[in-house]
Amino acid sequence: MNVWKWLTTADPSPRYTPSKIGRIAARFFLFLLLVTLIQSVLSATPLGPYLKTWWGSAIVVFALYIPFARYLILDTPGGNRQALGRLGSSRLGAASKPSASAVRRKERNRFAGVRKGPPGGGRGGRR
């Protein structure tokens, strides 16, 4: 299996399996490696003194986290639905239909608080 595909594809199981934990750890390690590499390259520039402060390091981490966030939250609860839609590999299935009682309740409450009846029918409508 392609390593990049393995890292960027969400695990469909709802539990934390050893494979899912391994993917999360691998993504975190690669992100940590990238941040360390970029900070060491930037420390050789005139930005070096700023990167030695806590806020300078935090700016670099946040600046790198924003583009990589969808890969880092891929297997976390709640992150699956958003990240999968962006990556194009939706495994969530079709949207569920509302129950019949929910549809009737919505239709019944549609004109709640309105004095005039629905157009073309119902109680007090046109004849």
Side-chain angles (χ1 to χ4, degrees), residues 5-126:
K5 189 173 182 180
W6 179 76
L7 279 174
T8 59
T9 305
D11 191 1
S13 66
R15 295 172 297 193
Y16 284 109
T17 60
S19 174
K20 186 182 280 191
I21 293 172
R23 287 179 189 187
I24 292 171
R27 287 185 203 122
F28 176 73
F29 178 73
L30 288 174
F31 178 72
L32 187 66
L33 187 68
L34 183 70
V35 168
T36 305
L37 179 70
I38 289 179
Q39 279 190 341
S40 63
V41 168
L42 287 177
S43 66
T45 65
L47 298 174
Y50 300 108
L51 289 175
K52 292 180 181 172
T53 62
W54 67 269
W55 54 268
S57 295
I59 289 172
V60 171
V61 169
F62 288 140
L64 288 175
Y65 180 77
I66 290 170
F68 290 102
R70 70 173 167 182
Y71 298 114
L72 292 172
I73 66 168
L74 198 59
D75 282 326
T76 57
N80 254 350
R81 289 177 292 278
Q82 296 140 1
L84 277 177
R86 290 187 207 136
L87 291 177
S89 60
S90 178
R91 293 185 183 176
L92 295 177
S96 60
K97 291 176 60 175
S99 65
S101 62
V103 172
R104 282 194 308 268
R105 185 179 337 108
K106 181 179 177 184
E107 192 60 33
R108 187 175 60 235
N109 293 336
R110 183 174 168 198
F111 296 101
V114 178
R115 291 181 184 214
K116 189 173 157 184
R123 295 183 190 153
R126 286 185 243 143

